[in-house]
Amino acid sequence: MKRVLLLLPTTGYRNNDFVAAARKLGVEIVAGANYCHRLAPSWGLPPIMALHFDQPEQAADSVLREIGGTLDGVLAVDDSGVELAALLSERLGLPGNPAHAVRRVRDKLAFRRLLQEREFLCPEFHHLPTGADPRKLVPDLKFPVVVKARRLSGSRGVIRADDSEELLRAVNRVRAIQSRADRDAQELGLIIEDFIPGWEYALEGTLERGELTTLALFDKPDPLDGPYFEETLYVTPSRLPGALQERIHREVARACGVAGLAAGPVHAEVRVNEHGIWLLEIAARSIGGLCGRVLTHSLGMSLEELILRPLVGKPVARPLALAREGGSAGVMMVPIPRRGIYHGLEGLAAAQSVPGVTGVTITAEPGQIVAPPPDGASYLGFIFARALIPADAETALRIAHRSLNFDIRPEYPAVDARRAPH
């Protein structure tokens, strides 16, 4: 039996999907998680190793001490574990990406420097060290700009600023977000870059021996112009002209090559405008949330199974051919309208009955504190749709979303001054 170490994040949407895919393939799972094993869901797994994903060197030492027997692969379920997975693959001599390559693409500043050096389209950018006064950069900036935390994902810690006053507020807020979310915040500082106008697209692919296969190119029909950048709709196949889709594939493939990525899943975000294709990010992982489920029909299997297969010697013959069949599909990451405590919803049955909607999964739990970007990196749930053409899939998602009414209440109820104790 093949044996794979799965690195499971605390709040991972896809832990169950990866566990199910491994079981379908008859794979023995060794589980590592970035939380105490006593608090971890069991998933019917053997005891889970508690690891600090954000301290990959120490975590790798812990894994090598604790695992018994050999491993055939190491796989991180989301962004938080990709560096640890790469480091372990290197130390164990398993297929995977070099740790330095994964580290480079996770760091927005290092990735921008790489793009600039290799003459990709790249916005002007500046590094703002911790404690430095952002007002000193103002003479060199072309507003609007975007302030970004260096290693956070899911639009967390990303704010647009249109003038110097907004810049100062954005820097203070992003610094606070990064300091809570990244152990190395003090050493990292922030990145400030020119805002790139245009429409966004996401490429989902896999790498094998450095060769990129595009599984899907997603349109993002909602404009992402800020001040915050919460993603909502993904629809595939893209409505872009075929020649432009091929150019996006080539740009992402070239960037993977110069970054040193060679194996496993790839999720890339790009913007397209009259100047060309701008790479926003490339991640050595698959698409986040439950969005991968939108590809199950076109791939003929779950995305998680497709990712696991090469690790256990069961590669898929022609995933690209599979991905081009089967009409159109879309997913909505249900946005969080405001910060507060989620209590429930109305309209679920109405949303599920919309023609074209294939599923509505609510992932928020009653009593959970929810927050939209730039502070939060989660969603209320996911809506899935299928249709003959992308426009119809998009319409079904929007109608279903309008059917839902979420009950989100303030964390601290307002006090009636007339009844307050004196």
Side-chain angles (χ1 to χ4, degrees):
M1 179 180 287
K2 298 291 185 176
R3 195 164 182 253
V4 172
L5 171 64
L6 279 182
L7 299 177
L8 306 168
T10 307
T11 56
Y13 289 106
R14 304 170 66 198
N15 292 346
N16 287 326
D17 289 357
F18 272 104
V19 170
R23 286 179 172 150
K24 180 182 176 184
L25 292 171
V27 173
E28 180 187 349
I29 304 166
V30 180
N34 59 343
Y35 43 75
C36 173
H37 69 280
R38 295 181 184 275
L39 303 177
S42 69
W43 296 298
L45 299 176
I48 292 174
M49 286 182 284
L51 304 168
H52 293 293
F53 289 2
D54 59 352
Q55 294 180 294
E57 295 284 348
Q58 296 92 318
D61 291 341
S62 297
V63 171
L64 295 176
R65 280 196 308 268
E66 293 188 32
I67 59 170
T70 60
L71 291 173
D72 295 286
V74 181
L75 183 65
V77 168
D78 78 351
D79 199 62
S80 63
V82 291
E83 190 175 336
L84 172 57
L87 194 60
L88 282 167
S89 296
E90 280 186 341
R91 293 192 182 182
L92 294 167
L94 299 172
N97 291 306
H100 70 84
V102 172
R103 198 176 300 120
R104 179 185 292 151
V105 295
R106 278 198 75 209
D107 182 340
K108 294 178 176 66
L109 178 61
F111 186 57
R112 284 285 174 264
R113 286 171 173 163
L114 176 69
L115 295 178
Q116 187 180 65
E117 290 167 4
R118 297 305 183 99
E119 299 183 342
F120 288 84
L121 271 181
C122 185
E124 291 294 320
F125 62 90
H126 302 268
H127 178 221
L128 182 68
T130 300
D133 187 346
R135 287 171 292 196
K136 293 182 179 178
L137 289 178
V138 168
D140 299 322
L141 299 178
K142 300 173 191 172
F143 289 100
V145 297
V146 182
V147 181
K148 296 182 176 182
R150 280 180 57 179
R151 297 194 305 206
L152 303 186
S153 58
S155 302
R156 192 176 187 190
V158 180
I159 303 177
R160 170 173 160 162
D162 291 347
D163 55 43
S164 57
E165 289 186 6
E166 289 187 6
L167 174 68
L168 187 58
R169 289 197 294 270
V171 165
N172 289 338
R173 189 169 179 186
V174 175
R175 278 175 168 163
I177 292 167
Q178 181 170 257
S179 67
R180 293 192 298 268
D182 197 311
R183 182 189 296 269
D184 302 319
Q186 192 70 20
E187 291 76 37
L188 291 172
L190 307 179
I191 180 171
I192 299 173
E193 65 182 35
D194 291 354
F195 171 75
I196 307 165
W199 291 93
E200 279 196 24
Y201 303 87
L203 182 146
E204 192 69 16
T206 58
L207 285 165
E208 186 175 358
R209 297 189 182 92
E211 176 140 2
L212 177 68
T213 294
T214 294
L215 302 175
L217 184 65
F218 291 97
D219 292 342
K220 300 185 185 183
D222 285 340
L224 292 164
D225 293 330
Y228 315 123
F229 297 87
E230 185 171 38
E231 296 184 302
T232 51
L233 291 169
Y234 274 44
V235 180
T236 188
S238 173
R239 285 161 274 190
L240 285 175
L244 184 51
Q245 293 189 46
E246 181 57 34
R247 284 176 54 203
I248 292 173
H249 170 93
R250 290 199 301 268
E251 282 295 278
V252 173
R254 185 165 77 94
C256 289
V258 300
L261 299 179
V266 170
H267 181 75
E269 307 276 347
V270 305
R271 282 211 175 202
V272 177
N273 59 24
E274 67 273 16
H275 300 292
I277 298 164
W278 305 73
L279 290 171
L280 299 181
E281 68 171 59
I282 290 178
R285 57 165 174 81
S286 54
I287 193 169
L290 297 179
C291 296
R293 292 181 182 178
V294 81
L295 298 178
T296 300
H297 178 81
S298 60
L299 296 177
M301 66 187 72
S302 72
L303 178 61
E304 292 76 21
E305 180 182 342
L306 185 141
I307 291 167
L308 275 166
R309 278 180 166 272
L311 297 180
V312 296
K314 298 180 180 180
V316 179
R318 296 185 63 191
L320 182 59
L322 288 170
R324 287 179 172 170
E325 299 175 359
S328 63
V331 57
M332 172 178 277
M333 296 162 274
V334 181
I336 298 169
R338 60 192 172 276
R339 183 181 178 91
I341 299 175
Y342 170 71
H343 283 264
L345 81 159
E346 296 176 345
L348 180 59
Q352 292 170 328
S353 66
V354 172
V357 168
T358 57
V360 180
T361 300
I362 303 302
T363 51
E365 296 286 344
Q368 177 183 339
I369 296 175
V370 295
D375 299 283
S378 62
Y379 295 91
L380 294 170
F382 300 84
I383 307 171
F384 302 92
R386 291 196 54 76
L388 290 176
I389 61 173
D392 289 348
E394 178 185 338
T395 298
L397 293 170
R398 293 191 189 279
I399 293 172
H401 180 233
R402 288 197 294 269
S403 303
L404 297 173
N405 181 28
F406 292 93
D407 181 5
I408 299 174
R409 304 177 193 175
E411 293 173 74
Y412 307 103
V415 176
D416 187 336
R418 295 169 297 181
R419 299 184 179 181
H422 296 285

